Amino acid sequence: MIFSKSFGYALQGVLYVALLSDGRDRIQLDEIARILMVPRYFLGKIMNRLGKEGILISVKGHNGGFGISETTFKTPLLTLAELTGDMVQLDSCVLKSRTCNNLNPCPLHHKIEPLREEWKKLLAGTTIGDLVKGRNPDFIRSISAI
Amino acid sequence: MIFSKSFGYALQGVLYVALLSDGRDRIQLDEIARILMVPRYFLGKIMNRLGKEGILISVKGHNGGFGISETTFKTPLLTLAELTGDMVQLDSCVLKSRTCNNLNPCPLHHKIEPLREEWKKLLAGTTIGDLVKGRNPDFIRSISAI
DNA sequence: AGCTCAAAAGACCTTCATGTCCTTTATGGG
DNA sequence: CCCATAAAGGACATGAAGGTCTTTTGAGCT
Ligand code: FES
Ligand code: FES
């Protein structure tokens, strides 16, 4: 699996909030999970971590919900991938019983390393803002289930 | 996880047999699992499938074990990855609740598609023979656990 | 034919990511 | 101050991948 479900859901959740939190106050988990057709409580745990990291604002209670913070749009996808543990997987050796190691490389190491670098460049170089820039709320269609 | 354990073990197993089945008759699962430090019975199931696909020869009973077939060296890594289900994962949309689709792409689709193509090119263009060519049995060190 | 060896087959267990539910905590409105 | 609301927290369930064990099958040897 290239990316975990957690990563995919996290990205969908952030994009949803980033797109719609414009005129509105807060967006509730209920709505996000329903529209994106993502398991509600599972998404809740992920959104929770995004809040803790400051990637989103999360407010409990009356008129609570999720919203964008100062860092939301500046957050690179790499941060999400680290949060969900996807980066350690990317760096693990293809031959699973080994530890990836430049000095004692497996036969695929030197072929794979450049690909890894490209992934990292993509993830580090793409922010939530980049993905949302210039999009209208109709863009939700392209992040929700088909 | 970029590649599954099954894929890694499969690759290790094939490489081991490809490297050592030169002067010898057959190589037993016992030896392969012990040297590579890979779970024996789990590897057994994987080697079984490699035999069924003709990627390796497998012989039961007295003087049985695994050996190379006519296709072993010509087998691209893509075949192994397909066997272990890793390719369907590569082609699945990052936003897990979606189906990857060129016509209705998610915001990451066009950024990820080229990377996927590179992976596929690497996997399709690299054969077991390529990885083993010109290597002596000492090369086992680079495919076994560290 | 009968024995032995080694893979195949299939039952079963473990682990971990994912997913659900229920209770607690925090927030704002009346 | 009390109530409604919505996230947080933690207990528990599920499913798929990974891993182990035992029995069966097939091949060669004598
Ligand atoms: S990928 Fe195998 S050693 Fe780096
Ligand atoms: S990767 Fe999302 S639609 Fe293709």
Side-chain angles (χ1 to χ4, degrees):
Chain A
M1 206 176 291
I2 291 288
F3 290 108
S4 64
K5 291 198 177 184
S6 294
F7 175 80
Y9 295 164
L11 182 52
Q12 289 186 88
V14 178
L15 288 176
Y16 188 91
V17 174
L19 269 172
L20 296 190
S21 70
D22 213 10
R24 308 169 52 179
D25 231 27
R26 299 267 173 264
I27 301 177
Q28 278 80 46
L29 183 60
D30 249 344
E31 171 184 334
I32 306 173
R34 185 167 35 79
I35 303 289
L36 299 182
M37 299 218 273
V38 156
R40 191 209 135 122
Y41 293 100
F42 190 50
L43 179 62
K45 291 192 192 304
I46 297 169
M47 300 293 280
N48 179 13
R49 309 209 27 223
L50 297 176
K52 277 207 176 66
E53 300 288 330
I55 296 167
L56 288 177
I57 296 287
S58 114
V59 182
K60 282 186 179 181
H62 209 100
N63 285 340
F66 296 91
I68 56 173
S69 70
E70 328 78 56
T71 59
T72 304
F73 292 104
K74 289 185 283 197
T75 306
L77 301 187
L78 186 67
T79 304
L80 298 185
E82 277 164 349
L83 217 69
T84 54
D86 287 38
M87 293 317 288
V88 315
Q89 298 296 348
L90 180 62
D91 283 328
S92 74
C93 178
V94 201
L95 307 186
K96 291 301 177 179
S97 76
R98 290 173 58 91
T99 308
C100 181
N101 185 339
N102 257 308
L103 300 161
N104 182 7
C106 75
L108 272 179
H109 181 85
H110 292 308
K111 288 172 182 273
I112 283 184
E113 202 64 17
L115 269 291
R116 282 183 181 145
E117 290 312 316
E118 287 198 60
W119 276 107
K120 288 181 195 173
K121 210 184 304 175
L122 171 61
L123 293 173
T126 307
T127 65
I128 300 298
D130 295 333
L131 296 179
V132 165
K133 199 177 304 172
R135 316 276 198 165
N136 63 2
D138 190 46
F139 181 62
I140 290 295
R141 284 164 35 78
S142 76
I143 70 172
S144 52
I146 305 190
Chain B
M1 205 178 291
I2 289 288
F3 290 108
S4 63
K5 291 199 177 186
S6 294
F7 175 81
Y9 295 163
L11 182 53
Q12 289 186 88
V14 178
L15 288 176
Y16 189 91
V17 174
L19 270 172
L20 295 190
S21 70
D22 215 10
R24 307 170 55 179
D25 231 29
R26 299 267 173 263
I27 301 177
Q28 278 81 45
L29 183 59
D30 250 343
E31 171 184 334
I32 306 173
R34 185 167 35 80
I35 304 288
L36 299 182
M37 298 216 276
V38 156
R40 190 207 136 122
Y41 293 102
F42 189 50
L43 179 62
K45 291 188 194 304
I46 296 169
M47 300 292 281
N48 177 13
R49 307 207 29 223
L50 297 176
K52 278 208 174 66
E53 300 288 331
I55 296 167
L56 289 176
I57 296 287
S58 115
V59 182
K60 282 188 182 180
H62 209 100
N63 285 340
F66 296 91
I68 56 173
S69 70
E70 330 78 57
T71 59
T72 305
F73 292 104
K74 289 185 284 199
T75 306
L77 302 187
L78 186 66
T79 304
L80 298 186
E82 277 164 350
L83 217 69
T84 54
D86 287 39
M87 294 316 289
V88 315
Q89 297 297 348
L90 180 62
D91 283 329
S92 75
C93 177
V94 202
L95 306 186
K96 292 299 178 179
S97 76
R98 289 173 57 91
T99 308
C100 181
N101 185 338
N102 256 310
L103 299 162
N104 183 6
C106 74
L108 272 179
H109 181 86
H110 292 309
K111 288 170 182 275
I112 282 184
E113 202 63 17
L115 270 291
R116 281 182 181 146
E117 289 312 315
E118 286 197 60
W119 277 106
K120 288 182 195 173
K121 211 185 302 172
L122 170 61
L123 293 173
T126 307
T127 65
I128 300 299
D130 295 334
L131 296 178
V132 165
K133 199 177 305 172
R135 315 276 198 164
N136 63 2
D138 189 46
F139 180 61
I140 291 294
R141 284 164 36 78
S142 77
I143 70 171
S144 51
I146 306 190

